Amino acid sequence: MKRIPLRKWAMAASFAISATAFAGNVEHDQTSVWKVSKGDDAVYVGGTIHILPISEFPLPATFTETYEKSDTLVFEVKMPAPTDIEGQQKMMAGLAYKDGKSLKDDVSEETYQALNVYLANFGATADQLAQFKPGMVASMLVAMEAQRSQLAGQGVDAYFMQLAARDGKASEYLESLEFQISMLANMGAGEEDRLISETLETLPELKDMLKSTIKAWREGNTQKIDELVVDTFKRESPASYDDVFTKRNQNWIPQIEAMFGDDDQEFVLVGAGHLVGDDSVIALLKAKGYKVEQM
């Protein structure tokens, strides 16, 4: 049976976030942006946080400077806008149970009641979320706790998507929405009760964990990001790690390589967890002979 590490849900929300008490606007010698070169041609690759409070803006200057000199922004996926009713419905349908099943069928009565108790803090009930699969419910719990801890806000990806639209810059995507919906819908398959119960148990620790993660991201501390996100995931759930990180990183490499040799300056923005560790996008590009410099 796969063992699903709870850290991954917090990191999916944050890099897969930071408290107002963290001095987020201090500049450091390094950031989570890399310059990947092939001769005189370069592609920039930046690690992102998918949820970031307003107190963490402005972003490190390297992100803004790289954006300004880029023609094309490349993201993991194009999420439907809040006003895209059809897209939102499609996403919700892909993350919901079918054939009359619900979360009640996959978790114990004790876990369902614990979920109900937690949601009561928000004026909600477990029955209101029971139509959704465990991966979606766990992600929603993290987002709700982030909101309660004053950590919520649009992430780096969404911020640059808005800037690109405003400035008329091209946007491209590494994956389809269908792929990401399927990945989230299948999270926790076979151990649904454990996923929800341990998510609930871990939520009180979320604030401190995310503060540490955001600090490492701002400082470009690859070793700490690896320790907090990737290594834990790899150790506790090798099969899920392979699906979420290894395979996707490998799939992105040919797409990044295809960006060399054209007239556009690309800035690739993906979750920071994909850019650290032995199986990362950065490691794979180095292994293929590209010159890689952390900025």
Side-chain angles (χ1 to χ4, degrees), residues 29-44:
D29 292 339
Q30 287 188 318
T31 59
S32 295
V33 178
W34 284 260
K35 180 181 180 181
V36 182
S37 302
K38 180 181 181 182
D40 295 329
D41 198 1
V43 171
Y44 292 89

Side-chain angles (χ1 to χ4, degrees), residues 179-242:
F179 174 87
Q180 289 222 344
I181 290 173
S182 176
M183 182 173 61
L184 184 57
N186 290 320
M187 288 292 184
E191 48 182 11
E192 294 86 353
D193 185 79
R194 181 174 172 269
L195 174 58
I196 299 302
S197 64
E198 290 193 9
T199 298
L200 290 168
E201 292 172 5
T202 306
L203 289 176
E205 305 170 15
L206 185 70
K207 184 174 182 177
D208 288 341
M209 184 167 63
L210 294 179
K211 284 173 66 177
S212 297
T213 302
I214 198 78
K215 183 175 185 293
W217 167 76
R218 283 201 89 100
E219 296 174 354
N221 188 338
T222 57
Q223 182 175 347
K224 192 66 175 178
I225 296 172
D226 192 12
E227 175 189 325
L228 288 169
V229 186
V230 180
D231 186 58
T232 297
F233 201 158
K234 188 175 185 178
R235 230 180 326 105
E236 297 188 18
S237 184
S240 293
Y241 170 84
D242 193 42

Side-chain angles (χ1 to χ4, degrees), residues 4-291:
I4 305 293
L6 266 298
R7 287 178 182 269
K8 90 172 182 184
W9 296 111
M11 298 315 157
S14 69
F15 281 82
I17 313 196
S18 163
T20 55
F22 174 62
N25 295 334
V26 177
E27 291 297 329
H28 298 276
D29 292 339
Q30 287 188 318
T31 59
S32 295
V33 178
W34 284 260
K35 180 181 180 181
V36 182
S37 302
K38 180 181 181 182
D40 295 329
D41 198 1
V43 171
Y44 292 89
V45 181
T48 67
I49 307 290
H50 297 323
I51 299 177
L52 198 67
I54 191 66
S55 59
E56 290 299 335
F57 288 81
L59 299 177
T62 304
F63 276 89
T64 304
E65 292 164 1
T66 304
Y67 169 81
E68 292 295 341
K69 63 186 177 186
S70 297
D71 305 302
T72 301
L73 281 292
V74 183
F75 304 97
E76 289 184 31
V77 65
K78 183 179 183 180
M79 300 297 292
T83 55
D84 181 0
I85 304 302
E86 183 178 347
Q88 291 287 342
Q89 290 176 339
K90 178 180 180 181
M91 185 169 66
M92 292 300 101
L95 295 169
Y97 283 98
K98 294 178 176 59
D99 302 321
K101 282 194 64 177
S102 78
L103 189 65
K104 278 186 175 180
D105 300 309
D106 283 332
V107 302
S108 67
E109 184 176 344
E110 179 183 5
T111 296
Y112 198 80
Q113 182 55 32
L115 177 62
N116 217 24
V117 170
Y118 177 80
L119 291 173
N121 295 306
F122 302 88
T125 67
D127 287 347
Q128 290 175 298
L129 299 189
Q131 63 179 308
F132 295 112
K133 293 186 176 181
M136 179 60 171
V137 173
S139 296
M140 292 171 73
L141 291 175
V142 169
M144 293 169 78
E145 186 62 29
Q147 181 71 45
R148 182 162 73 165
S149 300
Q150 298 183 333
L151 302 178
Q154 75 168 353
V156 176
D157 314 71
Y159 173 71
F160 280 118
M161 283 182 186
Q162 292 175 8
L163 282 188
R166 183 198 70 183
D167 298 337
K169 296 194 178 191
S171 291
E172 297 178 357
Y173 307 94
L174 297 168
E175 295 173 340
S176 67
L177 179 60
E178 290 76 12
F179 174 87
Q180 289 222 344
I181 290 173
S182 176
M183 182 173 61
L184 184 57
N186 290 320
M187 288 292 184
E191 48 182 11
E192 294 86 353
D193 185 79
R194 181 174 172 269
L195 174 58
I196 299 302
S197 64
E198 290 193 9
T199 298
L200 290 168
E201 292 172 5
T202 306
L203 289 176
E205 305 170 15
L206 185 70
K207 184 174 182 177
D208 288 341
M209 184 167 63
L210 294 179
K211 284 173 66 177
S212 297
T213 302
I214 198 78
K215 183 175 185 293
W217 167 76
R218 283 201 89 100
E219 296 174 354
N221 188 338
T222 57
Q223 182 175 347
K224 192 66 175 178
I225 296 172
D226 192 12
E227 175 189 325
L228 288 169
V229 186
V230 180
D231 186 58
T232 297
F233 201 158
K234 188 175 185 178
R235 230 180 326 105
E236 297 188 18
S237 184
S240 293
Y241 170 84
D242 193 42
D243 289 337
V244 174
F245 286 100
T246 307
K247 291 178 181 178
R248 294 172 71 206
N249 293 346
Q250 291 171 346
N251 289 339
W252 294 346
I253 295 302
Q255 297 182 66
I256 294 173
E257 288 188 286
M259 297 173 194
F260 290 97
D262 59 24
D263 295 330
D264 283 350
Q265 177 61 71
E266 293 90 355
F267 188 14
V268 181
L269 291 159
V270 298
H274 291 281
L275 305 183
V276 301
D278 295 338
D279 305 306
S280 69
V281 168
I282 296 302
L284 293 172
L285 288 168
K286 285 182 179 178
K288 293 181 75 70
Y290 293 94
K291 180 181 178 182

